Amino acid sequence: MKILLNQDELDAGVERLAREINETYGNRPLTIVGVLTGSFILMADLIRKLEMPLRVGVVQTSSYEGTERGALSINSEMMLDIAGRDVILIDDIFDTGNTLQEVTQLMKNLGPNSLKSAVLLLKTGRQEVDWVPEFVAFDIPDEFVVGYGLDFNDEYRNLPYLACLEPADLPNTDS
Ligand code: IMP
Ligand code: MG
């Protein structure tokens, strides 16, 4: 596996995101909603750098089977009440954008005062929607990446760095 972002680079990116969010919201109370599972490490690191009064909740989506997108499912049973609140959705990566688009739609129906999104990674040239998140730590090339919360078939989330999964790392699917 080739390392794309090491621990120091990831730290600097999260620090940058936190600074932008702190500057944007000042001391206004904020509700953070993390999109599980991929955002859990970013969320843990990011929220400890945020300075305003904070509520934290989660919503769960899943879409990938291996490196291919499957049907998206959203489980919002654990979501906080966001009516009238300033909300930031947090996800690991903005790839086609369909996941955050669908979660954003669902959340808008719950009447937040404002809704923005923050991601660690934006995959260049892959977007299928006409917007991008307001807060992005890194633009990365179109490669499948793992680590720092991102998985391949639910593995590798614990790597402390971000790595490109290379063909040699994949199980042989020829039959
Ligand atoms: P989107 O809906 O295409 O934007 O995909 C977003 C979701 O797909 C993210 O929350 C990730 O869980 C997953 N995903 C997209 N690209 C990658 C990748 O390179 N590695 C691991 N997961 C990815
Ligand atoms: Mg995910």
Side-chain angles (χ1 to χ4, degrees):
M1 270 190 227
K2 185 179 82 205
I3 294 187
L4 190 64
L5 295 168
N6 65 31
Q7 293 187 54
D8 289 343
E9 291 167 326
L10 288 168
D11 277 352
V14 176
E15 188 68 49
R16 223 166 35 237
L17 272 188
R19 196 176 326 121
E20 287 175 25
I21 294 171
N22 282 326
E23 281 169 8
T24 302
Y25 292 85
N27 205 35
R28 268 158 64 199
L30 189 61
T31 299
I32 294 281
V33 176
V35 180
L36 293 180
T37 306
S39 73
F40 74 123
I41 294 183
L42 170 63
M43 189 162 55
D45 283 347
L46 179 68
I47 62 176
R48 285 176 290 174
K49 298 180 193 292
L50 297 180
E51 292 161 0
M52 66 289 285
L54 206 63
R55 296 158 76 234
V56 179
V58 293
V59 60
Q60 181 159 34
T61 69
S62 58
S63 62
Y64 269 75
E65 292 157 24
T67 57
E68 302 296 322
R69 275 192 110 235
L72 181 74
S73 70
I74 302 179
N75 177 348
S76 57
E77 274 172 24
M78 291 184 291
M79 181 112 99
L80 293 178
D81 175 17
I82 58 166
R85 307 280 184 163
D86 291 313
V87 181
I88 298 188
L89 256 177
I90 307 276
D91 206 357
D92 49 3
I93 185 166
F94 198 78
D95 181 21
T96 65
N98 288 305
T99 302
L100 275 191
Q101 168 111 324
E102 290 192 35
V103 178
T104 297
Q105 212 47 58
L106 182 142
M107 292 183 60
K108 276 188 181 156
N109 294 335
L110 301 174
N113 179 54
S114 68
L115 179 59
K116 296 187 193 289
S117 44
V119 295
L120 182 73
L121 309 169
L122 184 142
K123 232 188 247 184
T124 311
R126 290 268 305 166
Q127 284 68 59
E128 294 174 2
V129 299
D130 59 3
W131 60 283
V132 291
E134 287 80 1
F135 306 101
V136 177
F138 300 98
D139 291 308
I140 62 162
D142 182 8
E143 297 198 56
F144 197 84
V145 290
V146 295
Y148 198 75
L150 291 107
D151 73 305
F152 170 69
N153 283 348
D154 293 310
E155 289 185 55
Y156 305 111
R157 295 193 195 275
N158 56 312
L159 297 179
Y161 48 81
L162 190 81
C164 296
L165 204 64
E166 296 172 310
D169 304 316
L170 295 171
N172 189 354
T173 50
D174 295 346
S175 51

